[in-house]
């Protein structure tokens, strides 16, 4: 494959693509969300990145390792420049890592073990951790490096807080070292990138311009693809897959994704914010959580909503992630409505109750339709669910924990998670199930405030355990704890389904990232 520098100007290409929703910001620390990060990884770069096999390889760091159980080093790549020509040095790395760990950043969970970050010289930094953290380099594969000079010049040295709907210069503009540069940003309309002619790496693409346009309507997205108005859609409705496969001008790429879609409960508040139950929280009763869990028919959702393109699960991780336990990936039998009502009656709700539910309508495959199916299923057991489905920006601003670590404004919600940083179950437990602790940077995505001291202790131990047999035993025990307690309701692993024009060559990884550096237009 020719690199762009060797491609005649007449052959260089514009690549047009779309998704159901827009990328929510240009700041790489604004949200810890796959789509935002995968988009910005084309502009900004991490110290280490993942290759086609999802294994770590050098990026802005050429070498890394540990000089002691609690000290890491990163030797930086020389000769790299930001898009404005500013040289890349250790000052940018130290600034970026501290920015990602502070302020309104949504990336703080990746710094839970970090004690100090220091510059050794212009091309080496060292990191001291409070305890052994064998996964630090893996975690930082999604922490993108910004220009210190650019951020300070534009008064954006601190990340804006998405939970407060804050904005600053960095949420609308970008300055990275990556293969593409931001040319134009019109939030909600289009974002235009252009090739970085001074990128340090050898391009494996032939793109001079990339135009991203969000299109909310599935029918409109598919029509635009068929007409040639776009070259690729990042999200394909399952009902359109077969017809697209029959179109000789198009290609469909599909495979299992690492992400698990699940439902969560607010178990933190003494009284739910969106319920007719006053003075107590029904979700604190395990019997209520079990009644909900065992009344949701994931096979029916797979059959009717997902058109067969989902992989039902009882766990928060799937095959391909370290810590997946096949023997525990078995959902308990569905309850008949009268059996579920009996559980609710035993818990003190003989007439059921009313509760709000939050879902995005442009984040996961068929997200709103899945939630509508759940509403209907729970109605059979006497629970009236009031669904609020919103765009991802409004949805996340509503449900995510606040800067002061207080819970988000939700009672019952949908969320998706993929441990694409470490590819290890500890990332899932630490992010989604450990007791929320802003200072310890744990449970930061634990929207419902689930808390189990035994699970917390196991998570802390597995974070530093280097003996595989001992660690595997901890993972088994922790998995049993959260599944037996019905802490959340895992639904399914969604399929990654993309569609392109037949003249497009690209790479589709299982972590649902989209590296433009591998796109080639024939």
């Amino acid at each position: 494959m020719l690199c762009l520098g060797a491609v005649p100007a007449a052959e260089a290409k514009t690549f047009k693509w779309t998704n159901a929703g827009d990328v929510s910001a240009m700041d790489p620390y604004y949200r810890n969300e796959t789509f935002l990060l995968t988009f910005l990884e084309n502009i900004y770069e991490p110290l280490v990145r993942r290759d086609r096999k999802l294994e770590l390889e050098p990026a802005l760091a050429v070498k890394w390792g540990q000089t002691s159980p609690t000290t890491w080093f990163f030797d930086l790549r020389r000769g790299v420049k930001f898009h404005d020509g500013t040289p890349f040095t250790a000052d940018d790395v130290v600034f970026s890592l501290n920015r990602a760990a502070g302020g309104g950043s949504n990336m703080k969970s990746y710094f839970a073990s970090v004690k100090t970050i220091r510059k050794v010289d212009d091309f080496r930094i060292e990191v001291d951790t409070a305890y052994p953290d064998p996964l630090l380099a893996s975690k930082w594969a999604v922490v993108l490096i910004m220009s210190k000079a650019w951020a300070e010049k534009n008064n954006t040295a601190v990340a804006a807080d998405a939970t407060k709907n804050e904005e600053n210069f960095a949420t609308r503009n970008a300055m990275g070292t990556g293969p593409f540069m931001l040319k134009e940003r019109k939030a909600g309309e289009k974002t235009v990138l252009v090739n970085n002619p001074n990128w340090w790496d050898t391009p494996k693409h032939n793109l001079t311009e990339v135009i991203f346009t969000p299109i909310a309507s599935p029918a409109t997205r598919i029509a635009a693809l068929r007409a040639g108005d776009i070259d690729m859609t990042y999200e394909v409705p399952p009902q359109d897959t077969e017809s697209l496969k029959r179109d000789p001008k198009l290609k469909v790429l599909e495979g299992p994704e690492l992400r698990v879609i699940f439902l969560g409960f607010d178990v933190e508040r003494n009284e739910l914010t969106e319920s007719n139950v006053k003075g107590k929280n029904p979700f604190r009763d395990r019997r209520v959580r079990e009644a909900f869990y065992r009344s949701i028919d994931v096979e029916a959702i797979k059959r009717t909503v997902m058109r067969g393109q989902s992989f039902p699960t009882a766990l928060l991780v799937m095959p391909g992630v370290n810590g997946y336990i096949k023997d525990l990936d078995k959902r308990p039998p569905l309850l008949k409505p009268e059996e579920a009502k009996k559980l609710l009656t035993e818990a003190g709700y003989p007439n059921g109750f009313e509760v709000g539910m939050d879902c995005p309508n442009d984040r996961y495959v068929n997200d709103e339709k899945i939630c509508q199916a759940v509403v209907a299923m729970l109605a059979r057991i006497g629970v009236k669910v009031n669904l609020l489905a919103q765009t991802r920006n409004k949805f996340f601003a509503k449900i995510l924990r606040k800067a002061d670590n207080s819970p988000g404004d939700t009672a019952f919600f949908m969320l998706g998670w993929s441990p694409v940083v470490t590819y290890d179950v500890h990332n899932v437990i630490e992010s989604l199930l450990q007791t929320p602790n802003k200072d310890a940077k744990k449970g930061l995505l634990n929207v419902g405030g689930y808390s189990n001291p035994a699970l917390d202790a196991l998570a802390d131990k597995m974070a530093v355990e280097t003996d595989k047999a001992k660690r595997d035993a901890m993972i088994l025990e922790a998995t049993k704890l959260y599944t037996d307690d019905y802490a959340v309701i895992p639904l399914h692993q969604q399929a990654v389904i993309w569609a392109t024009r037949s003249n497009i060559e690209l790479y589709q990884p299982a972590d649902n990232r989209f590296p433009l550096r591998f796109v080639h237009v024939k």
Side-chain angles (χ1 to χ4, degrees), residues 367-395:
D367 39 19
E368 184 174 5
K369 291 181 179 179
I370 294 169
C371 291
Q372 289 169 344
V374 169
V375 170
M377 291 170 182
L378 293 178
R380 298 174 194 153
I381 66 171
V383 176
K384 184 177 186 296
V385 178
N386 299 311
L387 174 61
L388 175 61
Q390 303 185 89
T391 63
R392 70 180 68 186
N393 290 345
K394 292 180 180 179
F395 166 77

Side-chain angles (χ1 to χ4, degrees), residues 209-244:
E209 182 181 53
V210 176
I211 302 174
F212 170 73
T213 306
I215 302 176
S217 165
T220 305
R221 281 200 307 278
I222 299 305
L225 180 67
R226 290 187 187 278
D229 295 332
I230 60 169
D231 299 307
M232 179 264 193
T233 176
Y234 179 83
E235 185 177 307
V236 177
Q239 63 269 21
D240 291 317
T241 305
E242 292 306 315
S243 65
L244 291 176

Side-chain angles (χ1 to χ4, degrees), residues 320-379:
V321 175
N322 183 59
Y324 171 76
I325 303 171
K326 184 176 181 180
D327 289 345
L328 296 184
D329 193 4
K330 298 174 182 176
R331 298 178 71 89
L334 284 170
L335 293 174
K336 296 178 181 178
E338 57 270 23
E339 294 172 328
K341 288 179 180 179
K342 182 180 178 183
L343 274 177
L344 292 178
T345 299
E346 292 172 358
Y349 307 97
N351 300 314
F353 58 91
E354 189 173 332
V355 67
M357 181 182 190
D358 288 292
C359 287
N361 59 17
D362 62 356
R363 179 63 190 93
Y364 312 115
V365 178
N366 286 333
D367 39 19
E368 184 174 5
K369 291 181 179 179
I370 294 169
C371 291
Q372 289 169 344
V374 169
V375 170
M377 291 170 182
L378 293 178

Side-chain angles (χ1 to χ4, degrees), residues 102-172:
S105 170
N106 201 220
M107 307 294 285
K108 296 174 187 175
S109 60
Y110 303 130
F111 296 84
S113 67
V114 175
K115 200 161 62 171
T116 58
I117 302 168
R118 61 180 176 275
K119 171 184 174 181
V120 176
D121 58 41
D122 280 349
F123 295 99
R124 185 183 177 101
I125 70 158
E126 290 183 347
V127 182
D128 292 323
T129 58
Y131 50 82
D133 187 355
L135 299 176
L136 184 68
S138 293
K139 295 175 184 177
W140 285 4
V142 295
V143 179
L144 306 177
I145 304 303
M146 303 179 70
S147 164
K148 178 176 186 288
W150 178 83
E152 291 179 344
K153 174 185 176 182
N154 292 293
N155 195 31
T156 184
V158 177
D161 189 340
T163 66
K164 297 179 180 178
N165 291 314
E166 291 179 352
E167 287 194 0
N168 59 28
F169 190 80
T171 60
R172 301 180 297 273

